[in-house]
């Protein structure tokens, strides 16, 4: 609460100021509301509350290599295990690496087509990007959920859907006024 933070601020050398609530479209914005929206995959609505895209950042690490084997290499992010992530699904994102912004398609989930026992992963495909990303830090800005995570009957069905996801993500990102 405010009195506790004020006491801590005095002891530790920082200033605490009470801010008025943020009012958006007739309602009061809150961190609880943002967390709920992210939990539903509603990243575009969360962005309106935040005044910016919700983002995560971490180093790119090696995954299983399945994406490369089917023609869609992915950058796997190593994130703090308690980092709030949007609901499992596929998202249109901006990927920022070394100050450069790339269109991206990101899957948050367990990759059910390859088995339901996989740990939760954040995997990003950068259409047209060919640079080496391992060990680099990547920030993902979540723009819009494209679909929920699905289990496909075959790898070919997954490949066909990934092509559709890429087309849709590029359409979504082309509408972003920041491009």
């Amino acid at each position: 609460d405010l009195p506790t933070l004020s006491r801590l601020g005095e002891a530790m050398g920082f200033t605490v100021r009470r801010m008025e609530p943020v009012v958006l479209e007739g309602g009061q914005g809150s961190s609880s509301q943002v967390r709920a929206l992210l939990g539903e995959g509603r990243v575009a609505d969360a962005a309106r509350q935040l005044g910016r895209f919700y983002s995560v950042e971490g180093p790119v690490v090696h995954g299983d290599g399945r994406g490369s084997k089917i023609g869609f290499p992915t950058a796997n992010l190593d994130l703090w295990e308690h980092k709030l992530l949007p609901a499992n699904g596929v998202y249109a994102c901006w990927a920022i690496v070394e100050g450069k912004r790339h269109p991206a398609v990101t899957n948050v989930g367990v990759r059910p087509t390859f088995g339901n026992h996989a740990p939760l992963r954040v995997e990003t495909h950068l259409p047209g990007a060919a640079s080496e990303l391992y060990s680099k830090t990547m920030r993902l800005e979540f723009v819009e959920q494209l679909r929920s995570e699905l289990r496909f009957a075959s790898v070919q069905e997954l490949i066909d859907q990934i092509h559709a996801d890429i087309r849709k993500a590029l359409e979504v990102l082309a509408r972003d006024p920041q491009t």
Side-chain angles (χ1 to χ4, degrees), residues 22-171:
V22 175
V23 178
L24 303 164
E25 297 176 13
Q28 182 173 314
S30 73
S31 58
S32 297
Q33 195 170 32
V34 170
R35 285 190 299 274
L37 291 168
L38 291 172
E40 296 171 8
R42 295 171 53 192
V43 296
D45 292 333
R48 281 189 281 285
Q49 292 264 336
L50 291 167
R52 61 173 175 78
F53 296 125
Y54 182 73
S55 64
V56 299
E57 184 172 319
V60 176
V61 296
H62 290 275
D64 297 334
R66 285 192 179 117
S68 293
K69 289 177 187 166
I70 62 171
F72 303 98
T74 58
N76 295 268
L77 289 190
D78 183 19
L79 299 172
W80 180 51
E81 65 181 298
H82 299 291
K83 179 67 178 169
L84 178 64
L85 293 172
N88 289 10
V90 178
Y91 296 86
C93 291
W94 289 112
I96 295 88
V97 182
E98 296 180 327
K100 191 168 182 190
R101 198 170 189 229
H102 305 272
V105 181
T106 299
N107 184 72
V108 175
V110 296
R111 302 166 301 140
T113 300
F114 298 106
N116 288 325
H117 305 292
L120 184 72
R121 300 227 176 135
V122 176
E123 299 178 299
T124 300
H125 175 68
L126 281 63
S131 65
E132 178 62 43
L133 297 173
Y134 292 118
S135 299
K136 293 182 181 176
T137 298
M138 178 183 289
R139 186 174 79 242
L140 292 176
E141 297 177 340
F142 289 85
V143 177
E144 185 175 302
Q145 184 181 43
L146 303 177
R147 63 176 173 84
S148 296
E149 187 174 43
L150 302 171
R151 180 182 184 113
F152 295 93
S154 70
V155 173
Q156 187 57 52
E157 283 183 26
L158 172 61
I159 290 169
D160 294 343
Q161 183 60 56
I162 292 171
H163 282 295
D165 294 339
I166 291 169
R167 283 191 301 275
K168 176 72 174 173
L170 294 175
E171 289 172 15

